[in-house]
Amino acid sequence: MGQIYPLTPSGGIKVRWVGTTDFTELYRFIKNWLEDRGFVKEERDLERKYVERRSGGAKLLEIAWHGEQKISEYYKLNMDVTFLTIGVTEIEAQIGDVKRKLDKGDFEIRISSNVEITDDKWNQYSLLKKIYFRIVARKRLPVYKREIYIKTYELQDAIKEFLALRRA
């Protein structure tokens, strides 16, 4: 593991709401958002943790994802998304002429991101590559920090828009 430059607070930025939504559709929306932006190479690599507990008619879910985007042999952008749902129950709601099954409960999504300098194999690099990194490639760090910072807040905004939490 190389040097990591976090761009969000240690707990990440969060979107929290109590109410009704189609959690399956939200889950799929966020996964597709990460895939479209190159953070998911293999679907099986995305999910790091999945815990589901049931108590009575309600369930608790804890899901952790880790997506990464390799920029070069020196840099990697990492984005972690954690879902926490508490007391979720399934309800039926009338939307227009259609009855749909929705999830009602307390939902929280945390997003954290960082830039990682992937210097795992520095001993194997030639002297010329080491010099190139120290003089040229290292200067790109602020550009990559800005890029992942923008993507992190774009994801937060997309989630808020999906949930109609954004105020006009």
Side-chain angles (χ1 to χ4, degrees):
M1 172 130 32
Q3 289 180 294
I4 294 179
Y5 297 90
L7 294 156
T8 54
S10 60
I13 58 174
K14 71 178 181 178
V15 177
R16 181 173 183 257
W17 74 102
V18 177
T20 309
T21 190
D22 186 344
F23 185 74
T24 306
E25 192 62 35
L26 175 63
Y27 182 93
R28 194 173 301 126
F29 172 78
I30 296 171
K31 184 170 103 20
N32 289 338
W33 192 96
L34 290 169
E35 284 176 351
D36 291 346
R37 281 144 188 92
F39 285 95
V40 182
K41 298 293 178 232
E42 295 285 326
E43 192 172 322
R44 60 184 154 74
D45 294 338
L46 181 64
E47 199 164 86
R48 298 290 166 101
K49 180 180 183 180
Y50 184 92
V51 176
E52 182 176 332
R53 294 185 194 109
R54 295 189 178 269
S55 175
K59 68 179 174 181
L60 177 135
L61 271 175
E62 189 176 346
I63 304 166
W65 288 349
H66 175 77
E68 54 189 42
Q69 183 181 44
K70 190 167 179 154
I71 300 295
S72 69
E73 61 187 316
Y74 302 111
Y75 289 103
K76 187 167 57 169
L77 306 179
N78 297 311
M79 190 173 292
D80 295 301
V81 179
T82 305
F83 299 86
L84 180 61
T85 66
I86 301 170
V88 174
T89 56
E90 205 173 82
I91 63 166
E92 220 173 73
Q94 185 79 24
I95 300 173
D97 295 338
V98 181
K99 280 191 175 186
R100 289 187 58 197
K101 289 190 178 190
L102 298 174
D103 301 299
K104 181 180 181 181
D106 187 350
F107 303 89
E108 182 175 292
I109 299 173
R110 290 186 178 264
I111 308 162
S112 59
S113 59
N114 62 61
V115 175
E116 182 178 347
I117 295 178
T118 56
D119 57 1
D120 298 342
K121 301 174 186 172
W122 275 102
N123 295 333
Q124 298 173 4
Y125 286 157
S126 68
L127 179 62
L128 193 58
K129 276 193 172 187
K130 288 179 186 178
I131 292 170
Y132 171 79
F133 176 74
R134 289 193 180 107
I135 295 173
V136 178
R138 188 121 179 121
K139 292 180 181 173
R140 294 189 185 133
L141 179 61
V143 173
Y144 296 139
K145 282 179 161 182
R146 178 175 161 73
E147 183 180 328
I148 190 70
Y149 181 85
I150 290 169
K151 287 180 181 178
T152 303
Y153 283 93
E154 282 177 351
L155 176 57
Q156 183 189 35
D157 287 344
I159 293 168
K160 286 179 178 181
E161 197 170 300
F162 181 93
L163 298 167
L165 293 176
R166 286 186 90 174
R167 306 230 188 267

